[in-house]
């Protein structure tokens, strides 16, 4: 009946008004190809925007170690943990983001991904890490590292990527992009855990965020001034 529907609708609207809205999250993402250099002595505060009051801060670094060094491959790929260079960058970043808690620290040769969250969020966040090397023999001199955070039924994935360099056209970079997409499971996560692993749940696919950042190595074949005028 119209009157019953109107009454039910009114009750539903009243119930919705009583449900507090989830506060918006402030997310900051910083990315930098550091070209095998050490963290600057003056610190990283200006670059990171440490005073931004972020709830989640993801830091993506590329070329943290020398990509041509076989020793770098062995150090980074055999046994986990961070290399000496990556640990120095992590310490420098953590010093600037002292009010946040680190929930992810990943390295694949030259790529490093650090993710920090506020202390109020940390107990409620589950994390899944993934790696996909695409360079020669898939050592990982190119490719991607990704961390997916599950928070209150929502999935937030931060992906640090470094694609093929050189003036060989975009086809290699396009191919590596598609390889990363194929090899990494970038779907959302379920809060259920099976044997300690986080399982996927397509039902949550409407509540996800994917942030893809890094050094894509795409180039504009235009003079500098012309490219700037078109930007």
């Amino acid at each position: 009946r119209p009157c019953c529907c109107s009454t039910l609708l009114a009750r539903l609207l009243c119930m919705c008004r009583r449900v507090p809205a989830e506060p918006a999250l402030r997310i900051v993402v910083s990315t930098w190809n550091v070209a095998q250099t050490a963290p600057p002595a003056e610190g990283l505060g200006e670059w990171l925007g440490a005073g931004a009051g972020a709830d989640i801060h993801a830091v993506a670094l590329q070329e943290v170690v020398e990509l041509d060094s076989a020793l770098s491959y062995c150090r980074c790929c055999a046994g986990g943990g961070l290399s000496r260079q990556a640990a120095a960058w992590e310490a420098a970043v953590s010093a600037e983001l002292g009010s946040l808690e680190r929930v992810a620290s990943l390295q694949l040769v030259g790529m490093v991904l650090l993710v920090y969250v506020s202390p109020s969020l940390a107990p409620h966040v589950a994390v899944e890490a993934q790696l996909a090397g695409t360079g020669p023999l898939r050592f990982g001199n190119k490719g991607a590292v990704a961390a997916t955070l599950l928070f209150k039924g929502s999935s937030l994935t931060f992906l640090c990527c470094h694609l093929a360099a050189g003036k060989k056209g975009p086809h290699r970079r396009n191919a590596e992009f598609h390889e990363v997409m194929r090899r990494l499971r970038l779907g959302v996560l379920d809060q259920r855990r099976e044997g300690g692993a986080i399982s996927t749940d397509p039902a949550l696919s409407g509540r996800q965020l994917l942030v893809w950042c890094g050094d894509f190595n795409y180039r504009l074949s235009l003079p500098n001034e012309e490219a700037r005028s078109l930007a």
Side-chain angles (χ1 to χ4, degrees), residues 36-164:
Q36 302 108 45
T37 59
E42 63 271 21
L44 301 170
E46 182 177 357
W47 173 60
L48 293 172
D55 298 294
I56 301 174
H57 198 141
V59 179
L61 305 172
Q62 305 85 44
E63 294 193 28
V64 172
V65 299
E66 295 181 11
L67 303 184
D68 295 330
S69 169
L71 180 60
S72 295
Y73 295 149
C74 296
R75 182 188 299 119
C76 302
C77 297
L82 297 179
S83 67
R84 175 179 53 81
Q85 300 95 323
W89 278 96
E90 181 192 45
V93 171
S94 296
E96 301 291 350
L97 303 180
S99 62
L100 302 179
E101 295 186 18
R102 178 173 52 78
V103 294
S105 179
L106 311 174
Q107 181 177 12
L108 181 61
V109 189
M111 290 168 285
V112 173
L113 177 63
L114 309 170
V115 182
Y116 299 79
V117 304
S118 67
S120 61
L121 292 184
H124 309 289
V125 170
V127 181
E128 181 183 75
Q130 298 183 80
L131 311 173
T134 62
L137 301 181
R138 291 187 175 177
F139 268 133
N141 55 318
K142 294 295 188 291
V145 293
T148 298
L149 280 59
L150 178 71
F151 173 68
K152 293 187 177 181
S154 296
S155 169
L156 296 84
T157 297
F158 300 96
L159 187 150
C160 171
C161 183
H162 195 184
L163 300 180

